[in-house]
Amino acid sequence: MKILVPVKRVVDYNVKVRVKSDGSGVDIANVKMSMNPFDEIALEEAMRLKEGGKVAEVVAISCGVAQAQETLRTAMAIGADRAILVESEAVLEPLAVAKLLKALADKEQPQLIILGKQAIDDDCNQTGQMLAALLGWPQATFASKVELDEKTVTVTREVDGGLEVLRLNLPAIITSDLRLNEPRYVTLPNIMKAKKKPLETVKPDELAVDVSARLTTLKVTEPPKRTAGVMVPDVATLVEKLKTEAKVI
């Protein structure tokens, strides 16, 4: 059985992002980049399934600039067998990424694709669902537990009212939630081994996919700064402020 795991290169979650002076986007010059945390969780789950003897090969995929090779090398250091980079300088929207992944899925013929539920840079939470629609595969989003069999996968997912358990026929799409697992640390020996693993690079044109932008970013701004808290002398004053000054979000 083969699993594909798409991983995205994003600004590291420990970095405070800065908006460009012209408001055209986020400034990533000289900023630490890393693998999207939700994608790390997806990759960790794929590795656990492989280590459990249920998966033969794990392939990491990234779509983006050439520097995304670093992210793929990290994925292979975690344990992915090989990697594929769809190299493009264009700003790739979720639909474009989903189309690229569909083209690779048609070529690779995996039985399972595990993605992070969303990327922390745009928070779109769309790629997994769009990919499932394009492929016509069943999907289970926000997975907190995955149990894989030969022909089916059972997924426990978190919903507003509690937990929902789905059983999907393979091939299928899964998107990972935070509580699915805790990713492992990358060791130095595995980093060295990753340098020898195969990394294939393709262009969107080779996959016959149009990645032209469909959306236009009008402006990017920082969120408004929060005002400092105010101490009140008694409960009556607090109630009065809640009535007159508190804003409903």
Side-chain angles (χ1 to χ4, degrees):
M1 183 179 294
K2 182 191 297 184
I3 295 181
L4 298 187
V5 183
V7 296
K8 186 176 183 181
R9 178 179 181 262
V10 299
V11 175
D12 189 87
Y13 66 92
N14 288 311
V15 174
K16 178 177 172 55
V17 296
R18 303 186 306 272
V19 175
K20 293 180 180 178
S21 58
D22 61 358
S24 61
V26 173
D27 186 3
I28 59 172
N30 301 316
V31 171
K32 180 183 178 183
M33 309 292 284
S34 62
M35 186 187 302
N36 179 47
F38 290 105
D39 297 341
E40 281 191 80
I41 294 171
L43 182 59
E44 173 65 26
E45 191 64 23
M47 294 314 306
R48 294 187 183 191
L49 293 173
K50 183 182 178 183
E51 291 164 355
K54 297 181 179 181
V55 173
E57 185 180 30
V58 175
V59 182
I61 298 173
S62 191
C63 304
V65 295
Q67 291 89 331
Q69 291 186 30
E70 300 171 8
T71 306
L72 290 173
R73 290 294 178 192
T74 301
M76 290 189 285
I78 292 173
D81 298 287
R82 57 188 175 91
I84 303 173
L85 171 62
V86 183
E87 186 178 344
S88 174
E89 294 295 330
V91 177
L92 299 176
E93 297 169 358
L95 181 58
V97 174
K99 289 180 177 180
L100 293 170
L101 294 177
K102 178 188 182 299
L104 290 175
D106 290 339
K107 177 183 176 182
E108 294 286 337
Q109 294 294 307
Q111 285 70 51
L112 190 63
I113 301 178
I114 308 180
L115 310 89
K117 70 172 184 178
Q118 64 195 72
I120 63 172
D121 53 0
D122 56 21
D123 278 335
C124 282
N125 183 20
Q126 296 173 343
T127 304
Q129 294 88 328
M130 288 178 171
L131 178 59
L134 291 172
L135 288 169
W137 292 5
Q139 62 174 307
T141 56
F142 311 113
S144 59
K145 184 178 180 181
V146 175
E147 298 172 287
L148 182 62
D149 297 321
E150 289 186 6
K151 296 183 179 180
T152 63
V153 59
T154 303
V155 178
T156 302
R157 61 189 300 268
E158 299 184 359
V159 295
D160 292 340
L163 298 177
E164 180 180 58
V165 180
L166 302 175
R167 179 174 294 162
L168 313 177
N169 292 324
L170 298 178
I173 304 286
I174 297 174
T175 69
S176 63
D177 207 346
L178 277 174
R179 282 163 285 280
L180 179 57
N181 59 54
E182 184 174 343
R184 67 193 67 186
Y185 289 103
V186 181
T187 62
L188 182 58
N190 286 338
I191 292 175
M192 301 306 293
K193 292 177 183 177
K195 294 180 179 180
K196 299 180 180 179
K197 292 183 178 180
L199 194 161
E200 178 186 357
T201 300
V202 297
K203 300 287 187 180
D205 293 344
E206 298 174 45
L207 300 174
V209 174
D210 179 14
V211 296
S212 300
R214 294 168 177 262
L215 305 175
T216 301
T217 300
L218 300 180
K219 190 176 182 181
V220 177
T221 61
E222 293 186 3
K225 293 183 178 180
R226 294 183 180 181
T227 56
V230 178
M231 297 291 291
V232 294
D234 50 45
V235 175
T237 306
L238 173 61
V239 172
E240 182 62 25
K241 283 186 174 293
L242 289 174
K243 286 182 179 179
T244 60
E245 298 180 20
K247 296 180 180 180
V248 178
I249 299 177

